[in-house]
Amino acid sequence: MKKNEVIIYTDGSSLGNPGPGGWGSVVLFPDEKVIELGGREKESTNNRMEMTAALEALKEISKRKSTARKIILHTDSSYLLNGITVWVYAWQKNNWLTKTKEPVLNKDLWEELFKLDFSLKTKYEVLWEKISGHSGVHLNERCDVIATSFAGNNTTILFRGNLKDYEKLFGKIPTNHAVGTVSGVAKKAKSKNAGKVAFAYISAVEGKVHSDKTWAECEKRVKGKSGAKYKKVFSKEEESDLVAEWSLKLLL
């Protein structure tokens, strides 16, 4: 770990979406202190839990006097990453309305996250990194355990202590925390999915996003349609992320 960086991993879970929700975060400080955070909501969504995990981790940093100059937050949520790095600026400018004049979903969390991100950027360089969920990224997997445990209303003990003790409990943490970010995962995902049967085919046609179970259905939908785009996904999680991402882009 670099002495000038705070490393964060986050994840969210919802049983039912909407349904009982849980969130989890792991924060590594430059002095090799490790803090796990987590919580539960009786009724929530996966997106709200992803946002809450990031928000609470950043709140923890804002309360402390850290020698760090950089914050690197890792998330497997396309909704969260695109929202905080791209979409939120248009929403804030448009008084938290979408292009179609509809209220932005999860406005309360977006407003709080936007203000906190802006405030932290006066003291730190804040980077948001996309990782691939359920792909063996060590601390992301730990966040998933915390989030799903809280969502299931199970007893969860959160760690607070030093890095050496943390690694004794949960295994060695890779030195390069950026492993698993967008560029790093893309190559792995490509070989991993080679020859794999697609879970669904997502398409955006004439202002609407669709999910089809077969290529034949998707091809029929997009063939001959100007501006249509499509992509195959390999899990329910990828399907949800891509549908959310493309749907929100259409509203901006």
Side-chain angles (χ1 to χ4, degrees):
M1 179 187 296
K2 294 182 180 180
K3 296 298 182 183
N4 67 337
E5 294 179 349
V6 177
I7 305 296
I8 304 171
Y9 281 80
T10 65
D11 200 16
S13 175
S14 178
L15 305 178
N17 203 31
W23 60 270
S25 306
V26 178
V27 185
L28 288 77
F29 291 94
D31 59 359
E32 298 197 340
K33 296 294 184 183
V34 182
I35 294 178
E36 291 186 339
L37 304 168
R40 183 177 191 272
E41 288 186 4
K42 187 175 180 180
E43 186 76 6
S44 192
T45 65
N46 185 66
N47 284 337
R48 287 188 68 84
M49 292 294 89
E50 295 279 5
M51 294 173 69
T52 300
L55 182 60
E56 294 300 326
L58 293 176
K59 282 182 179 179
E60 186 69 28
I61 295 171
S62 69
K63 294 187 298 185
R64 295 169 174 267
K65 291 182 179 180
S66 175
T67 58
R69 305 311 311 153
K70 182 185 294 186
I71 299 170
I72 306 176
L73 190 148
H74 302 79
T75 175
D76 61 13
S77 170
S78 296
Y79 174 77
L80 172 60
L81 183 76
N82 289 321
I84 194 61
T85 60
V86 182
W87 303 331
V88 72
Y89 298 99
W91 292 336
Q92 196 269 344
K93 184 178 179 181
N94 294 330
N95 197 28
W96 300 101
L97 295 175
T98 67
K99 188 170 66 174
T100 58
K101 305 303 180 183
E102 296 293 326
V104 171
L105 292 175
N106 304 314
K107 174 190 171 186
D108 58 328
L109 292 179
W110 282 123
E111 283 188 303
E112 193 173 3
L113 193 56
F114 176 73
K115 290 177 182 178
L116 183 55
D117 181 61
F118 182 82
S119 175
L120 287 171
K121 283 177 178 175
T122 64
K123 302 177 182 178
Y124 307 94
E125 178 184 3
V126 182
L127 301 178
W128 293 77
E129 298 283 0
K130 179 70 167 65
I131 57 175
S132 180
H134 308 290
S135 62
V137 179
H138 187 50
L139 292 182
N140 177 251
E141 297 290 347
R142 175 58 187 162
C143 290
D144 178 66
V145 169
I146 297 171
T148 54
S149 294
F150 272 106
N153 204 20
N154 298 317
T155 301
T156 307
I157 299 175
L158 299 174
F159 180 91
R160 284 180 178 249
N162 63 63
L163 180 61
K164 288 183 178 179
D165 288 339
Y166 192 70
E167 291 184 326
K168 288 177 183 177
L169 291 171
F170 302 110
K172 185 72 175 177
I173 296 174
T175 303
N176 181 9
H177 296 282
V179 170
T181 57
V182 179
S183 58
V185 166
K187 294 179 182 178
K188 294 182 182 179
K190 187 175 181 180
S191 59
K192 180 181 177 181
N193 292 325
K196 196 174 177 181
V197 176
F199 177 82
Y201 295 83
I202 312 303
S203 61
V205 185
E206 297 176 342
K208 293 183 179 181
V209 178
H210 306 271
S211 177
D212 293 302
K213 291 300 181 184
T214 68
W215 167 241
E217 293 173 303
C218 181
E219 184 180 30
K220 184 178 180 180
R221 191 184 300 280
V222 302
K223 192 171 183 179
K225 300 294 179 63
S226 177
K229 63 179 181 179
Y230 59 87
K231 183 178 181 181
K232 62 182 176 180
V233 294
F234 298 92
S235 69
K236 181 67 176 176
E237 181 187 13
E238 287 185 44
E239 179 189 38
S240 298
D241 277 353
L242 192 60
V243 168
E245 178 183 344
W246 285 7
S247 295
L248 282 167
K249 280 183 178 180
L250 291 173
L251 293 175
L252 291 174

